[in-house]
Amino acid sequence: MKSEIIEKNYQVARERYAALGIDTDKAIATLEQTPISLHCWQADDVVGFERNVAASGGIQTTGNYPGKARNIDELRQDIAEVISLLAGTFRLNLHETYGEFGGTFVDRDQVEVKHFTGWMDWAKEHNLKLDFNSTSFSHPKSGNLTLSNPDKEIRDFWIEHTKRCRRIADAMGKAQGDPCMMNIWIHDGSKDYTVEKLRYRQILKESLDDILAEPLPNMKTCLEAKLFGIGLEAYTVGSHDFYAGYCAKNNVIYTLDTGHYEPTENVSDAVSSLLLFVPELMLHVSRPMHWDSDHVTLYDDNTRNLFAELVRANALDRAHIGLDYFDASINRIGAYIIGVRAAQKSLLQALLEPLDTLRRYEDEGKLFERLALLEEEKTLPMGAVYDYYNLKHGVPVAEDYIGQVVQYERDVLAKRN
Ligand code: RNT
Ligand code: ZN
């Protein structure tokens, strides 16, 4: 795309927004500095490097598009490619199963910091900070219950795993001089109607109390709620209410995955409620397409509303933005770019909202005026600002990335089989 046109469009957009009292340069600066954590698992369908099996335990990938990353080098190559096509500040979000196990089998209750020092070095070289996740799915001991399992032996295995993961996250945080966000999601639940709902929740609470007891200053633990899992449709131990209560009571970060709620629920509405009672939010920006989170994040109402609520609550500094989806049916590099760009556009749109005027209208009871401006802001030239942002950083503008992704597919992905 011609850079003169993009620059010209930006100047027009800048004036248009300025007329509404909005500083587009300031919005661009905020967009530049707001980190987005890239989930490593889109590159290889959540397989990882432990036992090379498809994801199981409440989650599932569908599709077999060729070219997925088969080992740590390919995964790193893909992540580096993704980042080269995007402007902004990025982090990399790893699961425990993506450790560097050096060809030996390391079970989940044996994992150590040393399995991630290679990642720490790589991340540093690529100017990325790391986030982390314990992994209790895709394992023979996953079953239907992990941390909430009444069987002490199985429960202790996962408690040990999760404790070790917190220590690894702490080492990452220390190495990078910035806290590592560690997410705990467990699929625990039941396919059919459950009688002892309270019992499993009681056990999960006790397991979490035990896990979180160790003070680790360089990491922050986040707990992720879910409505249901695949094969676990009737009951999820770690439901929204469970974690909202747990996090509020224990001052723990709540992970809001936009793919995890009732299809008709407006997930963004949870932001302002949770922020009153939990210290921070971790966001898994995803797309709920009837089930779970394997659809690529889009610039849709859900995503836009989420970012609008964060900006309206002035809470960008209390929110950690991460993506979470795993689509195996399209070019996986392209899936990353679409999702990150959707999140960035949604954030930018939120930053460009004429909030002072909207607030004033609301205060003064001018509800027609508020609704009219909310409608008008939707078609303001945000796209021109976003194009300029990408141009300024020397990365592909608008649809130009499509050709680059296809080129990478031809040069690199197509040679993997
Ligand atoms: C699953 C959760 C969880 C996972 C990742 C792989 O429903 O959303 O965050 O997607 O940990
Ligand atoms: Zn998630």
Side-chain angles (χ1 to χ4, degrees):
M1 205 158 293
K2 287 233 160 53
S3 53
E4 309 87 75
I5 297 176
I6 293 158
E7 304 228 10
K8 214 159 85 192
N9 282 346
Y10 178 63
Q11 291 315 323
V12 174
R14 194 171 185 241
E15 277 177 42
R16 181 72 185 86
Y17 279 108
L20 288 163
I22 300 157
D23 182 343
T24 50
D25 294 328
K26 205 173 136 206
I28 285 178
T30 306
L31 185 61
E32 275 161 357
Q33 290 150 21
T34 307
I36 296 184
S37 196
L38 289 176
H39 55 314
C40 73
W41 51 92
Q42 165 61 49
D44 76 335
D45 313 342
V46 212
V47 171
F49 312 121
E50 184 199 79
R51 48 182 87 223
N52 197 26
V53 291
S56 65
I59 54 170
Q60 192 181 317
T61 53
T62 53
N64 56 358
Y65 197 83
K68 77 170 169 218
R70 298 164 301 178
N71 52 52
I72 212 160
D73 292 335
E74 291 180 355
L75 190 102
R76 286 175 180 165
Q77 188 183 13
D78 288 354
I79 299 293
E81 174 68 16
V82 166
I83 288 166
S84 76
L85 297 174
L86 294 163
T89 307
F90 297 101
R91 300 171 70 97
L92 178 64
N93 196 6
L94 294 174
H95 250 284
E96 184 272 347
T97 38
Y98 289 74
E100 240 167 329
F101 303 121
T104 49
F105 177 70
V106 178
D107 211 349
R108 309 272 171 101
D109 64 342
Q110 299 298 318
V111 66
E112 290 177 55
V113 172
K114 70 175 184 205
H115 302 119
F116 289 89
T117 45
W119 273 117
M120 294 183 215
D121 296 340
W122 187 85
K124 198 170 176 194
E125 263 167 50
H126 289 77
N127 199 21
L128 293 166
K129 288 182 174 135
L130 294 173
D131 295 318
F132 199 51
N133 299 259
S134 53
T135 312
S136 56
F137 50 85
S138 307
H139 186 279
K141 287 199 170 78
S142 295
N144 288 342
L145 301 172
T146 62
L147 291 178
S148 68
N149 203 315
D151 181 333
K152 188 171 172 346
E153 200 191 313
I154 294 188
R155 184 170 75 246
D156 283 350
F157 176 86
W158 292 115
I159 291 175
E160 178 63 23
H161 167 71
T162 318
K163 284 182 176 175
R164 283 171 178 254
C165 285
R166 285 186 79 238
R167 291 178 205 132
I168 294 167
D170 191 64
M172 289 175 171
K174 196 166 180 203
Q176 65 201 18
D178 189 59
C180 169
M181 308 302 298
M182 188 187 116
N183 189 55
I184 301 177
W185 169 69
I186 56 165
H187 58 278
D188 294 32
S190 164
K191 177 178 168 128
D192 224 325
Y193 299 121
T194 308
V195 182
E196 296 242 70
K197 290 188 172 183
L198 176 65
R199 183 177 181 214
Y200 307 121
R201 290 190 169 130
Q202 177 72 40
I203 297 172
L204 178 56
K205 177 186 171 297
E206 282 160 14
S207 296
L208 290 171
D209 289 348
D210 183 0
I211 289 163
L212 298 181
E214 185 176 357
L216 294 165
N218 305 299
M219 60 83 67
K220 294 182 181 185
T221 307
C222 321
L223 300 176
E224 181 175 6
K226 194 164 174 176
L227 179 64
F228 75 93
I230 304 299
L232 305 162
E233 288 82 5
Y235 167 65
T236 288
V237 184
S239 61
H240 171 68
D241 313 73
F242 176 88
Y243 282 125
Y246 191 92
C247 291
K249 191 161 182 189
N250 298 287
N251 207 34
V252 177
I253 299 174
Y254 181 99
T255 300
L256 191 71
D257 184 316
T258 51
H260 287 190
Y261 295 81
E262 295 285 2
T264 55
E265 204 170 1
N266 184 358
V267 182
S268 64
D269 194 42
V271 168
S272 53
S273 297
L274 288 168
L275 279 172
L276 286 175
F277 303 106
V278 302
E280 292 170 24
L281 290 178
M282 174 75 217
L283 302 172
H284 276 188
V285 187
S286 184
R287 173 158 51 116
M289 194 84 167
H290 298 297
W291 62 284
D292 214 341
S293 42
D294 83 334
H295 290 77
V296 179
T297 302
L298 298 181
Y299 177 69
D300 58 12
D301 284 352
N302 250 315
T303 317
R304 282 201 299 269
N305 288 337
L306 177 71
F307 285 98
E309 279 302 299
L310 286 175
V311 171
R312 290 170 187 172
N314 195 20
L316 279 183
D317 58 347
R318 288 178 62 203
H320 305 268
I321 303 165
L323 300 179
D324 182 15
Y325 50 82
F326 26 94
D327 191 337
S329 71
I330 60 172
N331 180 306
R332 295 171 185 79
I333 309 304
Y336 274 118
I337 311 293
I338 292 173
V340 173
R341 287 175 56 95
Q344 290 185 329
K345 284 187 265 186
S346 300
L347 173 57
L348 184 59
Q349 178 85 350
L351 294 167
L352 294 173
E353 182 167 69
L355 207 45
D356 292 343
T357 312
L358 285 165
R359 284 194 174 123
R360 183 165 51 77
Y361 285 156
E362 191 161 298
D363 268 357
E364 294 170 358
K366 294 182 172 164
L367 304 188
F368 147 68
E369 291 87 335
R370 182 186 63 184
L371 188 61
L373 193 52
L374 282 171
E375 270 300 279
E376 288 310 310
E377 73 168 54
K378 290 178 183 166
T379 49
L380 288 172
M382 179 278 288
V385 181
Y386 188 59
D387 285 349
Y388 174 75
Y389 166 78
N390 287 310
L391 177 78
K392 187 179 151 199
H393 289 280
V395 301
V397 174
E399 69 276 12
D400 287 356
Y401 74 87
I402 299 172
Q404 302 221 24
V405 168
V406 171
Q407 191 61 44
Y408 183 74
E409 175 163 3
R410 246 182 249 135
D411 296 345
V412 180
L413 303 181
K415 294 180 182 148
R416 299 177 185 168
N417 41 44

